[in-house]
Amino acid sequence: MKIDLHVHTRDRSPCGRATEEEQIRAAVAAGLDAIYFTDHYHFCPSTHLAELNQRYAPFFIFNGIEVTADGEDFLVLGQFDPALERVDWDYPALYQCVRGGGGFLILAHPYRYHTAITADIEQYPPDAIELHSYNTPPSAEAEIRAIAARLGLRLLSNTDAHS
């Protein structure tokens, strides 16, 4: 199954340039089986998500969220908790929230803004780290691979699609 775990829409993210419908049609055309909407600080309403899934079946659309904590962006999947829509997270608290709720935590586009990772992923390791995305610097690949190996993190390739 091919799934993009990192997709933004203009419906809920100020940085998104494409609508939900445009993102879904593009993913279907690209041969994907599913996508996660991971808009900044906002979940897709569950009733609306159910309608989209019915309309586009057998393609799947899942709910996720992108949250900034301690200067890094994190994707949270598998946990629909309105508390995650806050904008004032510190990473240890976000980590505890996701762990307590049974979610999956991904460090998104590391090294995008900084030359070092600013959240304490050594003490609070996420489940995965993005190796490739539109906003992950290719020059950081060796360092990302080394971190993943050291911490036992899964490596992911996502689009971080905004349009």
Side-chain angles (χ1 to χ4, degrees):
M1 194 169 215
K2 296 177 188 173
I3 304 173
D4 189 343
L5 304 174
H6 193 172
V7 176
H8 299 281
T9 70
R10 74 175 185 213
D11 302 271
R12 286 169 301 280
S13 279
C15 61
R17 294 188 306 272
T19 65
E20 299 166 338
E21 305 276 338
E22 291 167 329
Q23 294 290 46
I24 294 166
R25 285 194 296 269
V28 169
L32 297 179
D33 300 298
I35 59 173
Y36 271 83
F37 287 143
T38 52
D39 290 308
H40 295 272
Y41 302 107
H42 296 288
F43 285 109
C44 180
S46 55
T47 54
H48 181 61
L49 192 68
E51 292 167 4
L52 290 171
N53 273 290
Q54 184 176 12
R55 186 176 326 140
Y56 288 98
F59 188 81
F60 294 98
I61 304 104
F62 298 104
N63 228 343
I65 194 166
E66 184 168 336
V67 178
T68 302
D70 294 351
E72 298 290 346
D73 292 331
F74 293 91
L75 306 177
V76 179
L77 310 179
Q79 184 177 358
F80 184 75
D81 181 348
L84 290 165
E85 294 180 308
R86 292 183 9 220
V87 298
D88 61 344
W89 285 100
D90 64 73
Y91 183 58
L94 176 64
Y95 177 89
Q96 294 301 329
C97 178
V98 174
R99 288 291 169 261
F104 189 81
L105 189 62
I106 302 165
L107 176 55
H109 42 65
Y111 300 102
R112 178 182 183 186
Y113 300 115
H114 314 286
T115 57
I117 294 173
T118 56
D120 187 1
I121 65 169
E122 299 287 332
Q123 184 170 349
Y124 304 100
D127 298 294
I129 187 170
E130 276 186 342
L131 178 63
H132 298 288
S133 81
Y134 178 75
N135 285 307
T136 305
S139 61
E141 182 173 341
E143 182 63 23
I144 294 168
R145 287 185 181 280
I147 291 167
R150 185 175 70 252
L151 299 178
L153 307 180
R154 294 169 184 92
L155 291 168
L156 300 177
S157 294
N158 297 305
T159 63
D160 189 9
H162 291 76
S163 60

